[in-house]
Amino acid sequence: MGDRIRVEDGNLVVPDRVAIPFIEGDGTGPDIWRASVRVFDAAVRAAYGSKRSVDWIKILAGKEAYEATGEWLPDATLQAISDHVVAIKGPLTTPVGGGIRSLNVTLRQVLELYACVRPVRWFPNVPCPVVHPEQLNVVIFRENMEDVYAGIEFPAGSQGAKDVIDLLTGKLGYKVDPLSAIGIKPMSEFNSKRLIRKAIKYAISHNRKSVTLMHKGNIMKFTEGAFREWGYQVAKEEFGDAVVFENEDKEASGKVVIKDRIADNMFQQLLTRPSEYDVIATPNLNGDYLSDAAAAQVGGLGMAPGANMSDAVAVFEATHGTAEKYAGLDVANPGSLILSGAMMFDYIGWSEVADIIEAAMEKTFQQGIMTQDLARQSPGVKAVKTSEFADAIISNMEP
Ligand code: NAD
């Protein structure tokens, strides 16, 4: 049995035979996991022969966990993830009613996975709605702990809403309709700064050109505007010579340029001038919208990988939902989970594996091999099954 990853002085120590927990997920989760794990093992073999390997440890969440234990997200699962530092998961059903908001949100909050990281790039031949998809290659760092995710809301007419409205209209002197529903948007210096710090560190270590702070600070001055200010502070105070600022007249070669864009403009610019953006750091709600819009621009959510990260612990996940209607049919696109795995290998320092997976997937698309979600948008292309797509990626691997 493989050993756990350890964290020493903030760095991951990864054994050659490593144990990594996985959550299969609900709906199409088992279909895409079965395909993905074959791709992962083949890529590790292609990169390192028998020198390195992964022992996959099944842990439970979602429907399968509920049926086995009566819990949607058992404590043992949370413990296994934090013990092993890194884990990978398929999509989970959000139980309707039953007092649990979302398993994904709970996982992020409990393990304090404060950064949601979503790389978005185009693979040649993948159908998409824009003329120059190749110009988009961004990594979105979205704050995961607060803003609307904090979930502080009161229904219209409730005592909670009434109490807040009394405070607003009384002591604080605002005008608010007494029957309003209320939502509260807390954003802290601590959470904003640690997210932005992670984004800048990533940009430096991955030779990215810029970090853009996306915010709606022109309207929400003390939350989104503060996010922008805190971002510039982190960059100035902690990264010194490694960064420059867009508006300063400095030689930028080799340094990460820090800039900011108002959220609505960011959406436009990603469509009209995509090559000017690289790493993007954003509060939660902006990032929620932007990451799905960016994924759609290059071929949709079926392809978009993601990770939720703390300083060390990281859970890599398919970004789409359970696509229930395709469950068990071997037709869903495993691309999102496979690319999330590639991100995971890059994160644990096995970047050769990530490179092999991405190159093989690129070649597979170039051969016109794709699952039905993409094939049906590509005239003349016949869809392959989930498992056949994985077979094609494996046969296209080169060490
Ligand atoms: P969904 O992503 O399951 O489906 C949206 C559309 O995309 C559907 O047409 C679906 O068939 C298609 N699709 C999604 N993934 C695909 C894939 N891999 N291959 C081919 N087509 C794919 O979103 P939904 O219907 O809004 O949500 C279904 C369930 O998933 C809900 O319970 C929701 O809460 C949950 N969900 C989970 C996650 C997660 O675990 N990270 C994310 C989003 C939604």
Side-chain angles (χ1 to χ4, degrees), residues 234-268:
V234 169
K236 277 196 187 104
E237 289 166 12
E238 300 178 24
F239 291 94
D241 266 1
V243 299
V244 289
F245 299 92
E246 187 180 38
N247 299 329
E248 286 178 9
D249 191 20
K250 275 193 193 167
E251 176 55 56
S253 89
K255 298 188 177 185
V256 173
V257 180
I258 309 293
K259 49 191 176 181
D260 75 279
R261 294 289 179 274
I262 290 175
D264 33 346
N265 188 25
M266 186 76 250
F267 275 93
Q268 283 191 60

Side-chain angles (χ1 to χ4, degrees), residues 87-213:
I88 183 163
K89 67 174 273 292
L92 294 173
T93 305
T94 300
V96 179
I100 186 160
R101 199 147 59 96
S102 150
L103 300 182
N104 292 307
V105 174
T106 309
L107 201 61
R108 291 167 201 173
Q109 297 279 359
V110 173
L111 296 172
E112 230 182 299
L113 306 174
Y114 62 82
C116 174
V117 183
R118 295 265 198 103
V120 184
R121 62 163 282 210
W122 181 64
F123 284 85
N125 232 11
V126 170
C128 69
V130 300
V131 181
H132 285 296
E134 74 287 353
Q135 291 178 1
L136 186 72
N137 186 343
V138 294
V139 184
I140 300 170
F141 281 72
R142 164 187 168 203
E143 204 288 319
N144 238 354
M145 305 300 295
E146 49 189 15
D147 188 358
V148 293
Y149 256 48
I152 307 176
E153 284 198 297
F154 303 99
S158 65
Q159 188 58 46
K162 191 177 169 307
D163 290 347
V164 179
I165 292 169
D166 284 348
L167 174 69
L168 290 171
T169 53
K171 191 170 165 202
L172 299 178
Y174 289 96
K175 221 173 135 186
V176 181
D177 185 308
L179 287 179
S180 298
I182 295 285
I184 292 181
K185 178 184 172 75
M187 281 171 58
S188 66
E189 180 173 351
F190 175 73
N191 279 320
S192 301
K193 280 190 167 173
R194 67 176 169 171
L195 180 271
I196 295 162
R197 184 178 299 120
K198 203 174 192 63
I200 299 176
K201 274 188 184 159
Y202 177 92
I204 294 171
S205 65
H206 287 74
N207 296 319
R208 292 281 183 158
K209 289 195 288 291
S210 64
V211 175
T212 305
L213 307 166

